[in-house]
């Protein structure tokens, strides 16, 4: 398993994100990545139709 380091420069944005999550940070970031990949996949399908 690969591990990645996430650097956030905007501390106020980071605090708002942490306040908005329901699970641990890793699970939330993984969910955001999956959502983005799925949206991208759906957009490509729509363009090809």
């Amino acid at each position: 398993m690969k591990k990645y380091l996430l650097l956030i420069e905007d501390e106020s944005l980071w605090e708002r994100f942490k306040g908005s999550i329901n699970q641990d940070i890793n699970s939330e970031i993984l969910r955001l990545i999956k959502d983005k990949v799925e949206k991208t996949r759906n957009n490509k399908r729509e363009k090809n139709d």
Side-chain angles (χ1 to χ4, degrees), residues 8 13 19 21 26 28 31 34-36 38 40 42:
I8 305 293
L13 180 62
I21 61 175
N26 289 333
E28 286 289 335
R31 183 188 59 79
K34 287 178 180 179
D35 289 350
K36 179 68 173 180
E38 186 63 31
T40 302
N42 288 340

Side-chain angles (χ1 to χ4, degrees), residues 6-47:
L6 176 65
L7 299 175
I8 305 293
E9 293 182 1
D10 187 336
E11 289 185 34
S12 64
L13 180 62
W14 178 245
E15 290 300 321
R16 290 189 311 185
F17 174 73
K18 286 193 322 185
S20 72
I21 61 175
N22 299 322
Q23 301 176 346
D24 64 282
I25 291 172
N26 289 333
S27 296
E28 286 289 335
I29 291 172
L30 185 57
R31 183 188 59 79
L32 291 169
I33 291 168
K34 287 178 180 179
D35 289 350
K36 179 68 173 180
V37 168
E38 186 63 31
K39 286 178 186 177
T40 302
R41 186 179 306 145
N42 288 340
N43 286 342
K44 286 182 180 179
R45 284 184 196 157
E46 290 175 3
K47 288 180 182 179

